[in-house]
Amino acid sequence: MDKNEAHAGLVKRPSDDPATCATCHEGIAKTYKLSLHYTTGGMKGVSGRFSEAETKIFDAQVFEQSCRVCHASCGDCHVKSPIVSGVNLGLMEGHKFVRKDESKTCAPCHGGRVYPEFTGEYGGVPDVHYQKGMLCTDCHTATQLHGDGKVYASRRDVEAKPTCLQCHNTKEGSEKAVSAHRDHVGWVSCSSCHSAAPYRNCSSCHVGEGATSSPGLFLGKNPRNPKEVATLRLVPAVRDTFMKVGISQANFDSMPNYWDTYPHNIKKRTDRTRECAVCHEEKTYFLKEEMLIKGGSEANKKLIFHE
């Protein structure tokens, strides 16, 4: 029989519609339709720079044509690895459903930054949690991944997201550790001290041309909470990023190019935990004006920390 004839009428991606899975997994299917994995709403973070007219262009010509490919169906995580940048790992275990396999689900989509930082493939320093045998779902629960029934604009807004303090008590440990945590709690993020190596920062992003990247570890004011010092990651939208589709970013300077991030390359001891002078005297990793991305937002200057 001809292959095309044999496959006539088959639905290529049945779980693109969660209703397919709802027959057995009604609760999960209902919340998943609102989750960031399904809506990819977090990809619209840059839209704060656009005018109303530019937002419409972005939604139609950029988001739907590019960002939307990060949309994940149930099958992308439980049957067949998602195709990312043309790389297709195929079925995980024949046509069987697999409850979890981070190396074939999380890794392809989050393999540009998070997963290779976690394993040490990028930066050369594996995360201590990975070295202890922990995997993605040990911190990122099913509720977070499947959604909790609420619509979020960003992963940072998700109520079920993991925090370090869920497992780590800052009042336990050596006298030095307890003292350091007491002095920094509330105004320095955990990763500011415990991110062990430079992490990937993207740059030179333009529609249709992709982006380049380089390693870096940046400390500065958290744009979401200016009272906190945080690790920052470069988000590479510069003034001409979307010019090919007619978006000049009318409100470009309203948002910075650096955003708070939690690199997945955590260690108990780093140069900052061993020696106070690295931050308090040498300012080794702190963002400086001469380091800022060329053609970037004026708002970047507000993230420079002055002790």
Side-chain angles (χ1 to χ4, degrees):
M1 179 182 287
D2 178 74
K3 182 182 73 172
N4 293 330
E5 183 181 346
H7 289 84
L10 287 179
V11 178
K12 186 176 182 180
R13 292 172 56 89
S15 66
D16 269 352
D17 181 359
T20 305
C21 304
T23 304
C24 296
H25 305 282
E26 182 179 2
I28 292 175
K30 184 178 180 180
T31 59
Y32 191 66
K33 289 185 71 172
L34 303 176
S35 73
L36 287 171
H37 272 127
Y38 189 78
T39 66
T40 61
M43 296 289 185
K44 291 190 176 184
V46 72
S47 60
R49 292 193 168 105
F50 305 150
S51 66
E52 185 176 344
E54 288 175 333
T55 298
K56 293 179 180 179
I57 297 173
F58 176 81
D59 287 346
Q61 298 188 40
V62 181
F63 185 78
E64 290 298 333
Q65 303 301 320
S66 180
C67 308
R68 180 65 78 179
V69 300
C70 286
H71 154 89
S73 70
C74 304
D76 285 326
C77 293
H78 296 291
V79 180
K80 181 180 180 295
S81 295
I83 300 173
V84 179
S85 300
V87 177
N88 185 354
L89 298 180
L91 296 166
M92 296 180 206
E93 195 174 331
H95 280 81
K96 295 179 181 179
F97 283 81
V98 176
R99 186 178 183 189
K100 63 178 181 178
D101 186 339
E102 284 95 335
S103 66
K104 294 181 180 179
T105 54
C106 307
C109 287
H110 299 282
R113 298 184 303 193
V114 176
Y115 197 79
E117 291 168 3
F118 187 57
T119 61
E121 182 181 348
Y122 188 89
V125 182
D127 190 288
V128 65
H129 301 90
Y130 179 77
Q131 290 182 312
K132 296 290 185 180
M134 294 176 67
L135 295 174
C136 309
T137 51
D138 288 312
C139 291
H140 299 279
T141 64
T143 299
Q144 182 191 3
L145 302 180
H146 292 149
D148 59 7
K150 298 179 182 178
V151 177
Y152 296 103
S154 164
R155 67 182 184 276
R156 296 173 181 84
D157 301 325
V158 175
E159 293 177 5
K161 66 180 181 295
T163 68
C164 304
L165 298 182
Q166 289 171 339
C167 293
H168 300 283
N169 187 341
T170 59
K171 296 181 180 180
E172 295 179 352
S174 68
E175 182 179 343
K176 180 181 178 181
V178 172
S179 175
H181 288 138
R182 182 183 61 244
D183 292 344
H184 294 85
V185 69
W187 71 280
V188 178
S189 72
C190 301
S191 60
S192 294
C193 294
H194 293 285
S195 179
Y199 40 85
R200 178 170 279 160
N201 292 267
C202 296
S203 57
S204 306
C205 183
H206 296 273
V207 172
E209 297 179 12
T212 57
S213 67
S214 58
L217 196 166
F218 304 117
L219 299 179
K221 293 182 180 179
N222 184 340
R224 302 171 207 278
N225 177 16
K227 294 181 179 180
E228 179 187 63
V229 172
T231 39
L232 304 175
R233 198 188 295 263
L234 177 61
V235 179
V238 290
R239 295 178 190 275
D240 61 350
T241 291
F242 303 105
M243 286 299 291
K244 284 189 175 182
V245 292
I247 297 176
S248 61
Q249 302 185 79
N251 305 312
F252 182 78
D253 289 318
S254 65
M255 299 169 62
N257 294 101
Y258 299 84
W259 289 92
D260 52 305
T261 185
Y262 262 84
H264 286 54
N265 59 3
I266 299 301
K267 289 288 188 185
K268 183 177 181 179
R269 295 180 177 85
T270 67
D271 57 347
R272 279 140 288 146
T273 65
R274 291 189 179 96
E275 182 55 62
C276 301
V278 173
C279 289
H280 292 281
E281 295 179 17
E282 299 166 9
K283 314 290 185 185
T284 304
Y285 301 102
F286 281 86
L287 205 61
K288 301 176 180 66
E289 189 164 347
E290 60 268 23
M291 297 164 56
L292 299 177
I293 183 175
K294 294 181 179 179
S297 169
E298 285 295 312
N300 295 336
K301 296 177 182 178
K302 297 179 181 179
L303 305 182
I304 297 173
F305 176 76
H306 301 284
E307 190 172 12

